[in-house]
């Protein structure tokens, strides 16, 4: 995802800044670009300006913004969204519980896949025995072996995905929560290159309105993890879990759609 955001257009522009490509005009939606203005004393002032207004593609009237002011707005936003340790524990507990529930629900499917794999492997063995006994010619053996191998490959990949997708998603979840629990501290310590990477990881777009308020579109899975309702559900879940000392019959908020929001390594169709 980060590689995809390193587009050639940004790389060849004259004036570079780590926020370019992420921040947009809150009035017309155009990207904000860098403009350096020099006064009569030779002092240079760096601004972000609306590209729509600058190129006259839109009728936008958004005024130029000092780059340092925009930098502070974004840095302050990270402080607003950094989750507390209690939120981190609650979200992790609720979503891992949901992973466990989904894994248990797919036990029957896993048993069916395993039985199908065993059947195909048995067919392979019988074919080889028949060939050794001269019961079937080599051409038939090859054709049937190719068919069985293709089917067996599909079944094996689905069995591996049954475990692998959940394991990858759990790791992804824990990594994302770790970032959210420390995002403001991380961003404050980053150099410009890593600030660019942080912004591209967390946001698809950041709009700066006329009153200098930010409107943010988060990347997955952060749009789900920062959803106020999801956080409220998680804190309620954690409180109930602490009281009951068991997660067996605890309500998990929005159900499996929460887990799908974390993102799967092999696409949304898995599991």
């Amino acid at each position: 995802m980060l590689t995809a955001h390193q587009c050639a257009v940004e790389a060849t522009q004259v004036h570079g800044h780590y926020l370019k490509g992420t921040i947009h005009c809150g009035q017309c939606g155009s990207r904000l670009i860098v403009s350096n203005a020099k006064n009569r004393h030779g002092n240079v002032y760096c601004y972000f300006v609306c590209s729509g207004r600058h190129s006259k593609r839109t009728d936008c009237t958004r005024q130029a913004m000092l780059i340092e002011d925009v930098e502070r707005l974004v840095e302050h936003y990270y402080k607003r969204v950094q989750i507390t340790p209690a939120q981190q524990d609650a979200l992790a507990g609720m979503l891992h519980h949901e992973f466990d529930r989904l894994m248990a629900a797919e036990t029957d499917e896993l048993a069916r896949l395993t039985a199908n794999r065993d059947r195909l492997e048995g067919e392979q063995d019988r074919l080889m025995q028949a060939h050794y006994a001269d019961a079937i010619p080599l051409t038939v053996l090859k054709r049937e072996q190719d068919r069985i191998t293709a089917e067996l490959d599909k079944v094996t990949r689905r069995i591996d995905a049954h475990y692998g997708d959940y394991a990858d998603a759990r790791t992804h979840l824990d990594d994302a929560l770790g970032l959210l629990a420390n995002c403001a501290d991380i961003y404050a310590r980053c150099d410009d290159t890593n600030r660019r990477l942080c912004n591209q990881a967390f946001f698809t777009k950041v709009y700066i309105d006329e009153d200098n308020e930010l409107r943010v579109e988060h990347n997955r899975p952060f749009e789900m993890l920062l959803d106020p309702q999801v956080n409220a559900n998680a804190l309620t879940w954690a409180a109930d879990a602490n009281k009951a000392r068991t997660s067996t019959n605890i309500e998990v908020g929005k159900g499996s759609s929460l887990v799908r929001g974390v993102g799967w390594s092999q696409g949304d169709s898995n599991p």
Side-chain angles (χ1 to χ4, degrees):
M1 183 277 293
L2 294 176
T3 300
H5 281 77
Q6 304 295 327
C7 66
V9 174
E10 291 179 9
T12 57
Q13 289 173 337
V14 176
H15 303 304
H17 192 276
Y18 64 84
L19 286 172
K20 279 174 48 177
T22 299
I23 54 173
H24 292 69
C25 174
Q27 184 171 334
C28 71
S30 301
R31 287 191 178 192
L32 298 182
I33 58 176
V34 174
S35 175
N36 294 335
K38 182 185 295 185
N39 66 12
R40 61 190 180 89
H41 301 294
N43 297 321
V44 177
Y45 296 91
C46 301
Y47 293 90
F48 277 123
V49 298
C50 173
S51 60
R53 177 178 179 176
H54 181 74
S55 63
K56 297 181 172 56
R57 290 184 292 102
T58 68
D59 58 358
C60 184
T61 60
R62 184 67 167 89
Q63 297 296 312
M65 296 160 279
L66 279 171
I67 284 182
E68 61 187 40
D69 291 341
V70 177
E71 290 174 343
R72 280 195 295 269
L73 286 173
V74 175
E75 190 167 347
H76 179 68
Y77 183 83
Y78 276 92
K79 295 178 182 178
R80 288 167 47 195
V81 300
Q82 180 166 297
I83 61 176
T84 66
Q87 287 174 294
Q88 181 183 7
D89 290 344
L91 285 165
M94 182 180 74
L95 291 171
H96 279 299
H97 173 74
E98 179 68 357
F99 280 125
D100 292 339
R101 189 190 68 79
L102 288 174
M103 284 286 286
E106 294 192 0
T107 299
D108 291 343
E109 173 65 8
L110 180 60
R112 187 187 68 79
L113 290 171
T114 303
N116 197 20
R117 180 192 61 189
D118 294 343
R119 177 185 61 78
L120 290 168
E121 290 175 345
E123 281 189 45
Q124 282 185 320
D125 292 340
R126 288 191 294 275
L127 276 171
M128 290 303 300
Q129 292 170 6
H131 176 65
Y132 292 146
D134 293 326
I136 59 173
L138 181 61
T139 54
V140 175
L141 172 68
K142 185 178 185 306
R143 184 180 66 245
E144 288 300 299
Q145 286 283 40
D146 288 344
R147 175 186 63 80
I148 293 173
T149 298
E151 291 183 25
L152 192 57
D153 182 60
K154 290 180 183 179
V155 171
T156 301
R157 281 190 280 110
R158 289 183 64 186
I159 291 173
D160 292 341
H162 179 85
Y163 295 106
D165 284 348
Y166 281 112
D168 290 344
R170 285 178 188 270
T171 301
H172 189 188
L173 167 65
D174 290 335
D175 288 343
L177 288 173
L179 285 174
L180 278 180
N182 299 278
C183 61
D185 303 325
I186 293 170
Y187 194 75
R189 294 195 302 268
C190 279
D191 59 17
D192 289 356
T193 298
N194 285 309
R195 282 194 171 194
R196 175 186 287 275
L197 293 179
C198 282
N199 291 328
Q200 291 175 342
F202 278 98
F203 313 124
T204 56
K205 292 180 180 179
V206 175
Y207 295 96
I208 304 180
D209 293 329
E210 194 72 38
D211 57 0
N212 288 334
E213 286 294 319
L214 298 188
R215 291 184 289 111
V216 172
E217 293 180 4
H218 289 105
N219 264 318
R220 294 179 63 194
F222 302 108
E223 89 286 5
M224 183 271 291
L225 296 175
L226 289 171
D227 186 298
Q229 187 59 57
V230 173
N231 275 265
N233 290 343
L235 291 172
T236 300
W237 184 95
D240 290 343
N242 287 335
K243 291 177 182 177
R245 300 296 180 186
T246 178
S247 61
T248 305
N249 297 313
I250 294 176
E251 175 62 34
V252 291
K254 296 180 181 179
S256 59
S257 61
L258 293 177
V259 171
R260 295 190 182 97
V262 176
W264 301 97
S265 62
Q266 298 181 10
D268 290 342
S269 61
N270 291 318

